[in-house]
Amino acid sequence: MTAPVLPIRALAGHVGAEVTVRGWVVRSRRKGKIAFLVLRDGSGLCQAVASVRDVDEATFALMDGIDQETAVEVTGTVRADPRAPGGVELGLRRLVVAGPSGGYPITPKEHGIEFLLDHRHLHLRHRRPWAILRIRHEVEQACRDFMYERDFVLIDSPILTPAACEGTSTLFETDYFGSPAYLSQSGQLYLEPAAMAHDRVYCFGPTFRAEKSKTRRHLTEFWMLEPELTWTDLDGLMALAEELVSYVVARVLDRRAEELAVLERDTARLEAVCPPFPRMSYDEAARILTAPESVAKAKAQNAPPFRPGDDLGAADETILGEAHDRPLMIHRYPADVKAFYMEPDPDDPTRALCVDVIAPEGYGEIIGGSMRIHDADLLARRIREHGLPEDAFRWYLDIRRWGGVPHGGFGMGLERVVAWICGVHHLREVIPYPRTIQRIYP
Ligand code: 4AD
Ligand code: MG
């Protein structure tokens, strides 16, 4: 009888059986007459062991000093071993090399992050990126499940667009058969018309910004989840945002404990994330940021001083966020630091009906959203004031001409959320192939 092929994760359920594992050699070591292999497959790690007495001479010689990342098929008996990862080890009897290796560049010694990113195509196999990308996968699935359960219809927005959504300074321009076109900065403008057809819609895809800033929070290609809904108000958007974020965090805690442990994430910080999130107006935030303690903190971080009326900088967000154990929602920013499409607050038209959600622990803005202007004339004026080409926005104005209703939505930056949940410092580690101002390889 041939031994069944099992994923490493399943071995614990087969103590005593002879099985085959297909994977890669993480490391090998020999102690006198016993050779050890640490093996990896998609599901986890295990150790295979053989003494010179258990296997023929050729197999023992093969095990001894086998190259890192050799692909192998290993057959042996599963033995309980409480000290081993997963509580089992494999008593090796047969070893077949499926894909040889040699001179693998990512050795067990410490490597710099740039070296690892240059070898991202290989580094994906290692423990830390393995854990991070599985958490990212869980976050994406949780987002889709959340939207589906709440009857949001998925509307895929275009990547090639004729106009800017989030300001003209970060546009990637390309030649579209003789006319300029831009990579999408956000699917929002295309969701608004679809919301008039389905009430609640969302898109979830890559977005692009030619960010010249070289910070740990900025990628030039990042993913955004964007819900858009009709007949809502700013409180409705904030309630949706806190439910979404809490749902996603709870899902990762529930299903990705092993990955969080690999990353040594302090999960107590994540357990605290549940509604209600604290809410604060921009004006309250400005009062806190101009108080002497905050001024001193900003100075200690070498950050530019905050002046009322300014948009919040990274240091300002950190100062405000660190006072709370869950994400902080800041609403009603000055209209003139925000995008052209934001609805003014009827109580104070210098303020926009908008909200930014700031993650705890210094991860900054994870969500930005607002109510949208639904008056066609006001919107046309804003487009002109922002120096945007009116012609490219004709269709966008149309949805206000025929049955405009109060509507709004937000965008959640996937990498910001994943970095925060993982406790990873820089966004470049939480996307499979990061694109930044200095990197488009591999
Ligand atoms: O605040 P932003 O610019 O909002 C929009 O694009 C709206 N049109 C979304 C909407 O209302 N449908 O971006 C939304 C989020 C930010 O809160 C941040 O989390 C993330 O996208 N983000 C970035 N993430 C990584 N790298 C960048 N360069 C990012 N820029 C924004
Ligand atoms: Mg924003």
Side-chain angles (χ1 to χ4, degrees), residues 165-166 185-188 191 209 211 217-220 222-224 226-228 338 341 356-357 365-370 372 409-416 427:
C165 179
E166 294 299 325
Q185 297 167 308
S186 158
Q188 177 200 321
L191 288 179
R209 303 212 186 159
E211 300 279 3
R217 295 174 180 177
H218 288 96
L219 298 168
T220 55
F222 63 98
W223 281 61
M224 199 170 13
E226 298 182 82
E228 188 75 28
K338 288 292 186 185
Y341 52 71
D356 279 3
V357 181
E365 180 195 328
I366 49 173
I367 287 180
S370 75
R372 324 302 189 189
F410 58 78
M412 184 176 89
L414 175 65
E415 289 76 16
R416 299 257 179 107
L427 260 51

Side-chain angles (χ1 to χ4, degrees), residues 233-382:
D233 57 18
L234 189 56
D235 286 336
L237 294 180
M238 291 197 272
L240 183 69
E242 71 187 355
E243 267 183 61
L244 167 66
V245 171
S246 305
Y247 181 100
V248 165
V249 169
R251 171 75 79 86
V252 174
L253 283 169
D254 183 38
R255 301 202 188 168
R256 297 292 162 185
E258 182 188 347
E259 288 84 348
L260 290 167
V262 169
L263 300 172
E264 296 176 6
R265 180 65 166 113
D266 174 4
T267 50
R269 302 293 309 255
L270 299 175
E271 308 274 0
V273 178
C274 58
F277 293 175
R279 289 153 165 77
M280 177 188 290
S281 71
Y282 170 90
D283 290 329
E284 287 170 68
R287 270 195 295 281
I288 294 173
L289 291 171
T290 48
E293 326 65 282
S294 305
V295 173
K297 277 185 198 161
K299 204 164 169 192
Q301 292 179 45
N302 275 327
F306 171 83
R307 283 174 322 231
D310 286 354
D311 201 356
L312 302 184
D316 305 321
E317 290 175 350
T318 302
I319 291 167
L320 294 166
E322 71 190 7
H324 303 275
D325 66 346
R326 56 193 85 186
L328 169 65
M329 304 209 277
I330 303 177
H331 52 85
R332 296 181 171 81
Y333 283 63
D336 52 15
V337 303
K338 288 292 186 185
F340 73 94
Y341 52 71
M342 291 190 181
E343 177 81 354
D345 183 353
D347 293 335
D348 177 0
T350 68
R351 297 291 181 255
L353 289 179
C354 66
V355 59
D356 279 3
V357 181
I358 312 299
E361 302 175 70
Y363 284 91
E365 180 195 328
I366 49 173
I367 287 180
S370 75
M371 296 298 293
R372 324 302 189 189
I373 294 175
H374 66 275
D375 178 80
D377 295 332
L378 175 60
L379 185 58
R381 204 165 74 227
R382 282 289 157 81

Side-chain angles (χ1 to χ4, degrees), residues 153-158 187 190-191 194-195 198 200-204:
V153 174
L154 176 64
I155 299 292
D156 297 314
S157 54
Y190 293 93
L191 288 179
H198 300 278
R200 303 166 144 242
V201 296
Y202 78 101
C203 65
F204 195 3

Side-chain angles (χ1 to χ4, degrees), residues 400-423:
R400 279 77 183 167
R401 297 226 154 85
W402 290 288
V405 299
H407 67 284
F410 58 78
M412 184 176 89
L414 175 65
E415 289 76 16
R416 299 257 179 107
V417 169
V418 175
W420 161 52
I421 291 177
C422 290

